[in-house]
Amino acid sequence: MKTIPILAILAAMAAYFFAWWSVVVVAALVGLLANPKNAAAAYGIGFAGVGLAWSTYVLFLNFQNQGLLAGKIAQILQVPSSAHLLALTIFIGSLAGGMGCMTGALLRQIFNKYKEATA
Amino acid sequence: MVSAVVKFIGSLLLTVGLVYVLNHQPGSLPYIGKKLQNSPAAMLPPLGKFLNPYGGFWQNAEGAVPLIMPKNALVGLRQEVKVVYDDRLVPHIFAQNQHDLYFVQGYVTASHRLWQMEFQTHAAAGRVSEIVGSRAIEFDREQRRKGMTYAAEKLVEALQEDSVAHLITQAYADGVNAYIKGLSAKNLPVEYKLLNYTPEAWTTLKSALLMKKMADDLTGQSNDIQLTNLAAVFGQQAAALLYPDYVEGQDPIIPAGAKWNFIPIAPPPLPAQTAPAKGASGFEPVNQPYPLPLPAAQPQTEPKIGSNNWAVSGSKTASGKPILCNDPHLQLNLPAIWYETHLHMPGLNVYGVTIPGGPGIVIGFNNHIAWGVTNAGVDVKDWYTITFKDATKNEYQYDKGWKKTDKRIETMKVKFMPDVIDTVVYTHLGPVVYENYGPNKQNLALHWQAHEPSNDLRAFYLLNRAKNYADYAQALSYYECPAQNFVFADASGDIAIWQKGKYPLRYKQQGKFVLDGNLPQHEWQAYIPAEHTPNMRNPERGFVSSANQHPTDPTYPYYYQSNDFEFFRNRRINRQLAQMDSITPAQMQELQLDNYNLLAAESLPIILNLLKPDELDPTQKEAYNQLKSWDFVNNPDETAPALFEILWQKLLADIWDELLNRPDSLPMVYPDNGVTIQLMKKQPDNKFMDKANTPQPETLQDLVKPAFVAALADYAKQSATNNAQPLTWANYKATSILHLARIDAFSVKNLHCGGNPNSVNATGKRSGPSWRMVVAFTPAGVQAQGVYPGGQTGNPGSPHYTRFVDTWAKGEYYPLRFVTSPDSLKVGEFIAVQNFTPILKN
């Protein structure tokens, strides 16, 4: 169960230095290397790991800004409130992370199957 | 095995698809983008990129203390520069040489206002469609047809000729670019993220565009076409009555009766043919593919711009030294038009406000002098009919021959859409802005002083360094456009005012109506000598002032005109100043905040006199009494000013119904309110009082009661939607400060404040005092106070973004921290210090 915090840390580092979608690549790599038992488990790890990376930081940023900008952006995007905007932010990160991790794990499945077949 | 590969490929495609969609604006997506066209949904930011906490908009969510790097090493800097940000985030820049001073001014200003700087210059250049899509095409086309970039390019060439102007604009641009270079995607201003674009390098052309934008804002209004229409339909006499060259009762900037101590040069001869150049039916707006739509007749109730400034001499102040005040009234926007800055280097210590994008200080003070500006408003924008030889538009008729045109291809990039191309034809007079205009298919060329380059930057550069009246006069000798009234006071006790601008030497009424581009006599032949523009130093009465009124009485030897010389504020200011004595800075603030409505004081009694109280029902009687007992002060919580304003608008619409919504749809314009009031007073049965759509003839008497009844109904209706509370002046006016890109969430609406454009506190619905400054010279040095409706940072995610708005709305001021060294600011008076050091290149 250490995979989720490890992914969260790696995803945070990647997003800090690179484009936002680098978290998807990181999640895929983790999915590939950690070898979760099935696609659903992989999706869960990616979803939780990237979600954790995004939620901790976004909650901090929003807190020190006292929700000032979130309220304004929520109004622009026609999201009911800044809480909804926070949820949307975390959800998008999680969704992309889950997809990435699942893709990585499915690639691993091919290798696993290939090994089984040739063993 | 095969199923595993299929699963993987499926998942991979889904993931890549998801990332792709979240990384693009909907409008730029294949297939969907085309469907969305330019709907708001198409303009949504790329959600993954935008919502990413590590790089998206969340990065702009600043804390109360903004992050300012204490140390900054920059290529291009020559020596160390120290910047102290005071408790209101005003940068106090301490440099050791001129280059570094303007370099760091550019850097620091960009760090707070980059998006605004670029957006305003994009707007001036007609490049907004690049950012917001097709909804800005017409706006962009207008900017390009007006020749804004053409004028800015000419200015850049001229700036290069001047060593000072070139040095400071280039150093400033280098500083802005040093900031942009150090900017990572995550630190971009939030508007870039929201609209999904990135900043370009800053250039001197952008500074020039900004200066041209100011020239357009301040001299861009022109009613020549509307007046020509009026004269065509109602005759020259009506034009003279409605738009007189001089409104009786004026209190000009140079008081009536002044002697002119110069020998005037003769104006050009009156051409044989001075009647308005027009078609038989005037200039009717028709929507051809290219001609711009002219604005329909508008009730001119809220002038977009205006300003007050005055200086009182030591003979009238408590301290025995002069006090200078200035409040320029401009459209209220966020980020604010002004940015407060303090510039210091050996031999220079100047504080004031500047327009982000230009070097130096525009309104402010130093240890020796203070200065401020108001708009002169004198017409320097004329229209000429042009006759092309044929459809190629390669030649046009001129003085019995044909003259060649130039063409400028304008390519407008439009977000998510193909480019739009417009060819603008240039004559020797200027660009042909309107083509195939009206039933007579006329072409109108624009001749405008703003198209000419002028070294106004040098004027401000020298003002920043001026020590006395002689320096001030020398600085102003460089100033040409947009013409301003420069008020002046200095520590030695001098006060002065000078209307400075480059004006054509006109024959009487030249340029009041549309002119004939075929006739050389209709052209500008010469300019009024610069030293003959109206000015005054240390007058007997102990004060100088201006508020956009007539600069002189009719004895001034040169002809000039305006679309809207101010008639009310200026007289109120002069009356108040004349009766004041032992003046303190606090009393000057009070005058800047004066809500007395002279327009109401001069018009309401006429209206009430025509209402017969016995014929009113109880509700009407109550309203009548309320208006009767009103003291004409537009205080925010009073209801009478709102009722009066509604009534006044209804009455204006009835009096000038001939000019509005015409069946022939010719655009015309309301006369000045001062003219209307005089007509009401002296000619209540003038033919214009008649309502065009009724069979019987009306006089003012017949208009008043129905207007009053309609106003009450309207007032009741508006009160009903106002939480069923009686509508107060502040509610009615709902002063709003809108974000430059008109993003509601980044705007401040419905402020609680008094005044109206006719009060000294000229706070209207959308315009108002954009900077209030009171500078007092005292035996102990300069003491200044100021405030503007905004905040130093342009970041809507920072609490500093609207930091000054409430203070401004309440009519309070901040003391301006005019210090002489970076160490003079005490703990608590500043929030950050930033050291800039040069990186020396080998």
Side-chain angles (χ1 to χ4, degrees), chain B residues 400-411:
Chain B
K400 298 177 193 118
W402 298 99
K403 214 171 157 71
K404 284 207 161 25
T405 58
D406 286 322
K407 286 178 184 168
R408 198 181 153 105
I409 313 287
E410 298 284 358
T411 307

Side-chain angles (χ1 to χ4, degrees), chain B residues 300-372:
Chain B
Q300 299 281 304
T301 52
E302 181 160 319
K304 271 191 257 166
I305 47 163
S307 304
N308 308 318
N309 66 15
W310 62 83
V312 287
S313 85
S315 64
K316 282 179 82 78
T317 64
S319 72
K321 294 219 170 229
I323 302 176
L324 179 139
C325 305
N326 188 196
D327 54 301
H329 317 146
L330 296 166
Q331 196 180 62
L332 300 175
N333 291 324
L334 279 168
I337 180 131
W338 300 111
Y339 181 72
E340 244 179 284
T341 306
H342 178 192
L343 301 176
H344 188 283
M345 60 170 259
L348 175 69
N349 189 27
V350 62
Y351 189 114
V353 287
T354 171
I355 298 169
I361 299 293
V362 175
I363 296 170
F365 55 94
N366 60 33
N367 295 92
H368 311 283
I369 74 146
W371 77 97

Side-chain angles (χ1 to χ4, degrees), chain B residues 443-760:
Chain B
N443 305 301
L444 293 174
L446 169 63
H447 189 67
W448 188 16
Q449 189 57 37
H451 284 146
E452 301 308 316
S454 58
N455 204 348
D456 313 313
L457 261 184
R458 187 163 192 144
F460 287 112
Y461 174 89
L462 291 173
L463 270 179
N464 287 193
R465 287 157 176 79
K467 292 188 164 65
N468 50 42
Y469 178 82
D471 291 350
Y472 154 81
Q474 164 72 12
L476 294 191
S477 70
Y478 289 95
Y479 193 86
E480 293 183 350
C481 184
Q484 299 290 300
N485 300 301
F486 285 88
V487 73
F488 166 88
D490 72 13
S492 71
D494 272 338
I495 59 167
I497 195 160
W498 200 320
Q499 179 166 110
K500 217 52 205 184
K502 194 167 183 182
Y503 294 143
L505 188 64
R506 295 178 182 280
Y507 56 78
K508 196 165 186 299
Q509 296 210 333
Q510 180 185 14
K512 186 165 182 171
F513 305 101
V514 175
L515 296 160
D516 190 341
N518 184 15
L519 302 174
Q521 309 93 285
H522 279 203
E523 285 176 57
W524 298 2
Q525 313 288 334
Y527 286 94
I528 295 176
E531 62 277 16
H532 294 184
T533 54
N535 67 87
M536 176 166 67
R537 181 184 180 186
N538 297 329
E540 200 68 0
R541 62 178 181 176
F543 68 90
V544 292
S545 80
S546 74
N548 321 102
Q549 75 265 44
H550 261 281
T552 67
D553 72 356
T555 67
Y556 183 66
Y558 299 108
Y559 176 78
Y560 60 86
Q561 73 219 358
S562 160
N563 297 309
D564 50 0
F565 280 132
E566 206 281 329
F567 191 62
F568 303 100
R569 265 186 290 124
N570 69 81
R571 289 183 292 144
R572 172 68 177 175
I573 291 168
N574 287 347
R575 282 179 200 172
Q576 296 301 100
L577 287 176
Q579 68 186 36
M580 289 170 95
D581 223 341
S582 294
I583 296 170
T584 62
Q587 286 172 309
M588 294 287 83
Q589 292 178 3
E590 243 171 74
L591 182 53
Q592 282 189 333
L593 298 163
D594 179 75
N595 289 335
Y596 186 78
N597 184 345
L598 188 55
L599 182 151
E602 294 183 346
S603 59
L604 185 55
I606 306 175
I607 299 169
L608 293 181
N609 267 343
L610 294 173
L611 283 173
K612 299 192 181 74
D614 326 331
E615 294 172 10
L616 301 175
D617 69 28
T619 331
Q620 291 166 347
K621 190 100 185 249
E622 196 191 319
Y624 172 89
N625 287 333
Q626 196 193 358
L627 286 174
K628 187 129 199 163
S629 59
W630 179 39
D631 58 3
F632 311 118
V633 179
N634 277 48
N635 282 335
D637 295 323
E638 284 188 49
T639 53
L643 182 54
F644 167 74
E645 187 62 29
I646 296 170
L647 169 59
W648 179 243
Q649 294 306 331
K650 297 246 182 262
L651 195 57
L652 280 182
D654 285 345
I655 296 176
W656 301 120
D657 60 323
E658 296 87 344
L659 311 183
L660 274 177
N661 308 321
R662 297 184 53 77
D664 56 14
S665 55
L666 284 176
M668 294 185 186
V669 62
Y670 274 21
D672 284 344
N673 284 323
V675 172
T676 305
I677 293 173
Q678 289 190 357
L679 204 68
M680 287 165 63
K681 208 187 303 182
K682 292 178 186 161
Q683 303 183 40
D685 50 0
N686 186 282
K687 66 170 180 171
F688 282 101
M689 298 296 175
D690 181 36
K691 285 182 85 164
N693 61 358
T694 59
Q696 75 279 9
E698 281 96 0
T699 66
L700 180 61
Q701 172 78 62
D702 304 313
L703 302 182
V704 163
K705 175 90 188 276
F708 179 70
V709 173
L712 283 186
D714 194 359
Y715 181 86
K717 208 170 109 192
Q718 292 198 44
S719 295
T721 56
N722 182 45
N723 298 326
Q725 296 292 313
L727 195 66
T728 63
W729 177 237
N731 292 149
Y732 172 80
K733 184 172 61 151
T735 299
S736 294
I737 313 177
L738 301 188
H739 182 262
L740 279 174
R742 301 294 176 260
I743 297 170
D744 261 9
F746 296 165
S747 306
V748 179
K749 292 186 169 180
N750 306 327
L751 286 166
H752 181 263
C753 50
N756 84 337
N758 305 303
S759 318
V760 184

Side-chain angles (χ1 to χ4, degrees), chain B residues 125 144-145 149 408-412 420-424 426:
Chain B
R144 288 161 187 258
R145 288 238 147 202
T149 306
R408 198 181 153 105
I409 313 287
E410 298 284 358
T411 307
M412 291 175 270
V420 173
I421 292 170
D422 191 13
T423 306
V424 185
Y426 279 73

Side-chain angles (χ1 to χ4, degrees), chain B residues 700-839:
Chain B
L700 180 61
Q701 172 78 62
D702 304 313
L703 302 182
V704 163
K705 175 90 188 276
F708 179 70
V709 173
L712 283 186
D714 194 359
Y715 181 86
K717 208 170 109 192
Q718 292 198 44
S719 295
T721 56
N722 182 45
N723 298 326
Q725 296 292 313
L727 195 66
T728 63
W729 177 237
N731 292 149
Y732 172 80
K733 184 172 61 151
T735 299
S736 294
I737 313 177
L738 301 188
H739 182 262
L740 279 174
R742 301 294 176 260
I743 297 170
D744 261 9
F746 296 165
S747 306
V748 179
K749 292 186 169 180
N750 306 327
L751 286 166
H752 181 263
C753 50
N756 84 337
N758 305 303
S759 318
V760 184
N761 176 18
T763 311
K765 291 173 197 287
R766 283 286 298 117
S767 67
S770 57
W771 165 239
R772 289 191 183 112
M773 178 180 84
V774 175
V775 184
F777 290 95
T778 72
V782 193
Q783 281 168 7
Q785 284 145 322
V787 67
Y788 70 85
Q792 286 288 90
T793 171
N795 176 15
S798 163
H800 288 276
Y801 177 66
T802 50
R803 167 100 187 258
F804 313 150
V805 171
D806 285 342
T807 310
W808 174 85
K810 275 189 255 168
E812 292 167 5
Y813 292 69
Y814 296 107
L816 308 184
R817 304 196 187 284
F818 184 51
V819 293
T820 49
S821 95
D823 310 319
S824 316
L825 286 166
K826 297 181 204 69
V827 174
E829 290 179 346
F830 68 95
I831 52 179
V833 179
Q834 198 171 24
N835 285 295
F836 291 90
T837 50
I839 298 177

Side-chain angles (χ1 to χ4, degrees), chain A residues 44-106:
Chain A
I45 291 168
F47 193 92
V50 175
L52 185 63
W54 283 37
S55 57
T56 43
Y57 194 37
V58 80
L59 288 170
F60 163 75
L61 289 173
N62 189 53
F63 171 77
Q64 54 96 44
N65 183 244
Q66 301 183 341
L68 175 71
L69 187 55
K72 294 178 180 182
I73 299 292
Q75 197 184 326
I76 293 169
L77 299 183
Q78 299 183 12
V79 175
S81 74
S82 54
H84 288 80
L85 186 66
L86 281 165
L88 179 67
T89 298
I90 298 165
F91 175 71
I92 283 186
S94 304
L95 184 71
M99 294 299 293
C101 195
M102 182 170 77
T103 306
L106 287 172

